[in-house]
Amino acid sequence: TVLNATQQDKDDAAADGIQLIFPTTFPRDRRKAEISWLTFDHQARYPGLPSHVDFIVGHVHITSHAARRIKERFPGAKLIQVTHVMPEETSQYKGDEKVMSIGQESLSILDDLRDADVLFSVGPLMYDYYRHQTNQLTLQHHELLPKPSDIFIDMKLKPPADTETKVVLSIGRVKGVERLKGVDLAAKTMGKVIDKLPNTKWRLRGFRRDDFQASRSIIEANTGRFQFVPFTPLEYGTQEELCEDMRKADVVLMPSRAEPFGLVGLEAIAAGVPVVISSKSGLAKFLTKQDPEFDRTIVEIDDDDEEAAKTLSKRIIKILKDGPREFKAAQSLKKKLLESEYWAESHSKLLQTVGLEG
């Protein structure tokens, strides 16, 4: 069940054998599709669901309550919830209102999980967290490790050009999550990097046009002693556009203060691009379990912002100055990551759960 879809979404679904079920609309109803249609109005908006349903999958916390409510129509179906959010971690950096709502949000998630038959948590950080949260519940709980998309795995990169121009790429929105995603740290960091290497370009993928002015003000307010840190704003894009960004990047920067996993960083590693990842991310926890060589991608983020920016800038400058060596190391990490097939066991467990694999 979906609220809407682009033509590309429809084409991708058709190619994968997925049937998209759209909501029923009414000529005089001017309201835009919203998540409540799935959650509270599904009887009217989705009257023609299949008569036989084996599994219902919800995405915590976006569609977890919707999945739980829709299950009421299919008492014989199993309810699977997939989670990659941890309010007690991420909401700490989203302003007072979100901090005050942490308790209620956590309770709502746990409430949705009470009726679940199976829970899949993305990555080791969330798996550990939800093992604790659901200890008193009777459900199966498994760790799910995502495989990078093939579009990144299939990327073939040339060694960096011998130019003074360098590119640092950040990915993710700014407004409302600047402290969570570490964009304020990135602004301070890039001020120091550009001070040492003036021809460095900082590109940020993930802007919305409506939020640009507010996002720009946030970045400019966090440049530290540097009055102006130039950056190139790029709107939300497709995976193809993100691939092109990575092709032109000398390093991908992911300085999150809290990140339940960090798929973008994983995809950059799979693409073979040098990466700087915050030690406070779930991705860092995952990588430390893989191979000691992956430690080179992880930077310890100090609670003191100035110290954190110094540490990040030193690592980035080293990567930019020693491009060929860092590129070779990134290619080695890509090879290790893909040859490990770390995702195989958890993907097999997911397929077994829904009866698609013996």
Side-chain angles (χ1 to χ4, degrees):
T1 54
V2 296
L3 295 173
N4 46 55
T6 65
Q7 187 57 50
Q8 184 64 55
D9 293 333
K10 295 175 183 177
D11 293 343
D12 290 344
D16 288 336
I18 295 170
Q19 178 189 356
L20 301 180
I21 303 175
F22 295 91
T24 299
T25 57
F26 307 97
R28 294 172 62 180
D29 186 351
R30 297 289 182 262
R31 291 173 296 177
K32 291 184 178 180
E34 57 183 29
I35 205 70
S36 63
W37 287 16
L38 277 171
T39 310
F40 305 109
D41 304 324
H42 58 88
Q43 295 277 10
R45 294 292 183 177
Y46 299 89
L49 294 182
S51 57
H52 177 77
V53 173
D54 295 300
F55 301 92
I56 299 171
V57 182
H59 177 190
V60 176
H61 59 116
I62 305 301
T63 60
S64 52
H65 196 49
R68 180 184 175 191
R69 295 294 297 265
I70 291 174
K71 185 187 184 305
E72 295 171 3
R73 294 166 64 176
F74 303 97
K78 285 190 175 181
L79 177 59
I80 300 173
Q81 299 283 19
V82 180
T83 183
H84 69 89
V85 295
M86 294 166 56
E88 289 184 273
E89 289 280 327
T90 56
S91 293
Q92 299 283 354
Y93 301 100
K94 293 184 178 180
D96 291 347
E97 187 175 341
K98 287 297 289 184
V99 172
M100 287 298 296
S101 69
I102 289 174
Q104 185 55 54
E105 191 174 0
S106 297
L107 284 174
S108 294
I109 290 173
L110 195 60
D111 191 41
D112 287 337
L113 296 181
R114 290 184 195 284
D115 290 334
D117 296 290
V118 186
L119 170 65
F120 283 91
S121 294
V122 179
L125 192 63
M126 268 177 298
Y127 178 67
D128 183 81
Y129 175 80
Y130 281 100
R131 275 189 66 195
H132 182 276
Q133 292 294 92
T134 62
N135 186 50
Q136 303 302 319
L137 304 183
T138 55
L139 52 68
Q140 296 179 45
H141 185 200
H142 307 292
E143 181 181 9
L144 180 62
L145 295 173
K147 177 185 176 184
S149 298
D150 287 342
I151 192 171
F152 299 101
I153 292 174
D154 294 340
M155 283 178 63
K156 301 291 189 291
L157 300 179
K158 296 179 181 179
D162 184 18
T163 60
E164 292 186 6
T165 299
K166 306 294 180 184
V167 172
V168 178
L169 176 65
S170 297
I171 302 161
R173 64 191 176 95
V174 177
K175 185 181 176 183
V177 293
E178 64 272 12
R179 284 188 56 76
L180 171 65
K181 297 296 184 181
V183 180
D184 56 334
L185 276 181
K188 288 184 175 67
T189 298
M190 290 309 300
K192 297 178 186 297
V193 172
I194 293 171
D195 185 50
K196 297 293 184 183
L197 301 173
N199 291 321
T200 301
K201 311 302 178 187
W202 182 27
R203 296 176 181 165
L204 285 85
R205 169 70 72 179
F207 281 88
R208 292 192 180 98
R209 282 190 176 273
D210 293 346
D211 291 343
F212 173 69
Q213 192 55 57
S215 298
R216 182 175 185 173
S217 297
I218 288 168
I219 291 171
E220 291 177 349
N222 286 283
T223 56
R225 66 182 176 86
F226 302 96
Q227 292 184 346
F228 176 66
V229 176
F231 67 93
T232 303
L234 303 168
E235 293 187 68
Y236 272 102
T238 63
Q239 285 193 323
E240 288 77 12
E241 288 171 322
L242 189 53
C243 278
E244 285 306 306
D245 292 340
M246 289 186 183
R247 287 185 190 280
K248 299 167 188 170
D250 294 278
V251 59
V252 173
L253 173 60
M254 198 184 90
S256 308
R257 286 189 175 87
E259 187 80 55
F261 189 69
L263 185 58
V264 165
L266 184 69
E267 290 175 332
I269 294 173
V273 182
V275 187
V276 174
I277 296 165
S278 163
S279 58
K280 297 184 177 181
S281 66
L283 178 57
K285 187 176 180 68
F286 161 72
L287 290 174
T288 55
K289 291 184 173 183
Q290 299 305 304
D291 189 288
E293 193 175 340
F294 286 100
D295 291 352
R296 70 181 297 116
T297 66
I298 302 167
V299 173
E300 293 290 331
I301 300 294
D302 198 283
D303 289 334
D304 181 298
D305 289 355
E306 184 61 29
E307 289 302 314
K310 283 181 183 178
T311 303
L312 287 166
S313 63
K314 284 180 181 178
R315 179 64 185 132
I316 291 170
I317 289 169
K318 185 178 185 303
I319 292 173
L320 298 181
K321 283 185 171 181
D322 201 0
R325 182 179 179 183
E326 294 292 340
F327 173 80
K328 187 176 179 180
Q331 293 296 306
S332 175
L333 291 183
K334 171 175 182 166
K335 189 170 184 289
K336 277 184 179 291
L337 184 78
L338 300 181
E339 286 181 349
S340 73
E341 295 191 352
Y342 66 85
W343 60 83
E345 185 178 347
S346 70
H347 285 203
S348 179
K349 179 61 69 175
L350 176 60
L351 292 175
Q352 288 173 24
T353 300
V354 296
L356 293 175
E357 186 175 285

